[in-house]
Amino acid sequence: MNFLKKLGITSKNFGSSTGTKWIKSTDQGELKIVSPVDGKQIASVYQASEKEYNKVIKTALTAFEFWKNIPAPRRGEIVRQIGLRLRDYKEPLGTLVSYEMGKSLQEGLGEVQEMIDICDFAVGQSRQLYGFTMQSERPMHRMYDQYHPLGIVTTISAFNFPVAVYSWNAMIAAACGDVNIWKPSSKVPLSAIATQKIISEVLQENKLPEGIFNLVIGKGSTIGERILNDKRIPLISVTGSTAVGRHAAEVISKRFGKTILELGGNNAIIVTPDADLKIAIPSIVFGAVGTAGQRCTTTRRVIIHESIYPKVKASLLKAYRSLKIGNPLDQKNHVGPLIDKDAVQLFSSALKQVKNEGGKIIQGGKVLSGKNYNSGCYVVPAIVEADNSYSIVQEETFAPILYLIKYKGNVENAIKIQNDVVQGLSSSIFTNNIREVEKYLSANGSDCGIANVNIGTSGAEIGGAFGGEKETGGGRESGSDAWKAYMRRQTNTINFGTALPLAQGIKFDI
């Protein structure tokens, strides 16, 4: 395939890199990467050993001593060049993301654009790593806070966003003066290798030392656990399931490390009688079936007022029946495959369980087979009438299942249903009633980290801080002031007088 050649992906690839060099080891087994699009093997990757991991860590520590002393705007200039280079590779890299993961080509290209956008954001941020000056109670004293580079920042990314979430962390951290280690999902390592090679071009052109941007592809039971337990890594960003995040948080906290956790979502859209259904319906459908329901911000529940429930239900059924399912590289198709057959099994099991609990499948739910679906990973997105109290509705099933839930009375009842899950990532309300909007956005409204009005739950912009509450983890990445997580904060007090007054009026005369 031509896009693989452009990206430097060969039939066999090495799984560890220090940015400008690849470590060529083959003794830890070979990952054979099969596309969920057509079931064909794309390429293979030799996994990293613990010996290689230690080499990467030592190289990164040495690079940090260099990188933290480079002026922040100069670091930003390197990130700017990475953004420019990603523009050059947008089409082949976006195509690889689509083919390796199974998301639509538009989404694959959009993911690379997200990387480009975060590079642009980080460039500007490199000139704004600001602190604040505070007023001291002591005469001839000045107080201020400032931020310093933290060290090695490690990103453990998930399969559903093979490259974008990495860039949220890596590019801002690099502008902050940190060095990076990336452990991508073993389900989509080729996109990570391609990205590493693109970054390597910029590093070599600028004659930068190895160790600033590093890549390690390996088993979670060995490499993953080493990362979690490694005291040399002050901050780890983990994207994954709540179970994975809980384990990571427990291990890292025991060594007093820091975490950014982006975990499960059980995202809901509230549709009130004052909603504009012309924009609500397409928002719900994209939110529910985009990336085949495999986004952490996927719309899982729609909470609909009983007075408009029949109309919304009919509109959604009509929209779902028009969906085209097939090869995501064909831009006529709306829905591509799930990542693998295990995901298909979870999809089928969840639908079986919701039926057992009393739910009614009113659309989709089948696993597709035949010539155009020979990978065994294609399903028909499902709509289910359900109750929020069902145990399966309380869980996050990483697949295209949309639960329709009725509410009665005022919007407070809908908000209560929305919040009555353990996850708290993204949420949305469709209404033209300003009172409902303000209630939804108030302290008594949505308890999620993201609360939208008249847009869906997915498709967040990089300018805002991204993250959630409760069992979603509580971390923040990407925009706003999320950069502070990648730096250590320091409060400074300077006495420029000739006396030594103490705070709180304490007297100490000697």
Side-chain angles (χ1 to χ4, degrees), residues 80 82-91 116 120:
R80 186 187 72 83
I82 292 172
L84 291 176
R85 195 57 52 88
L86 286 167
R87 286 174 169 87
D88 295 336
Y89 285 98
K90 180 179 176 179
E91 185 174 349
I116 294 166
D120 290 350

Side-chain angles (χ1 to χ4, degrees), residues 375-404:
S375 69
C377 298
Y378 291 87
V379 301
V380 181
I383 300 178
V384 182
E385 292 184 300
D387 189 277
N388 201 65
S389 63
Y390 295 168
S391 61
I392 190 63
V393 177
Q394 290 284 312
E395 298 176 11
E396 178 192 41
T397 301
F398 224 54
I401 301 174
L402 182 65
Y403 299 114
L404 305 188

Side-chain angles (χ1 to χ4, degrees), residues 1 72 84 99 153 155 174 209 279-280 292 321 345:
M1 294 181 178
L84 291 176
Y99 187 59
V153 170
T155 304
I279 60 172
R321 288 165 184 163
Q345 181 59 44

Side-chain angles (χ1 to χ4, degrees), residues 124-156:
Q125 195 66 71
S126 70
R127 293 181 181 271
Q128 300 181 73
L129 304 176
Y130 49 81
F132 294 97
T133 298
M134 293 76 74
Q135 298 303 312
S136 175
E137 67 182 74
R138 291 169 284 187
M140 303 296 183
H141 281 62
R142 181 166 68 89
M143 294 175 60
Y144 68 96
D145 60 26
Q146 63 176 329
Y147 293 83
H148 296 300
L150 196 58
I152 298 175
V153 170
T154 294
T155 304
I156 300 176

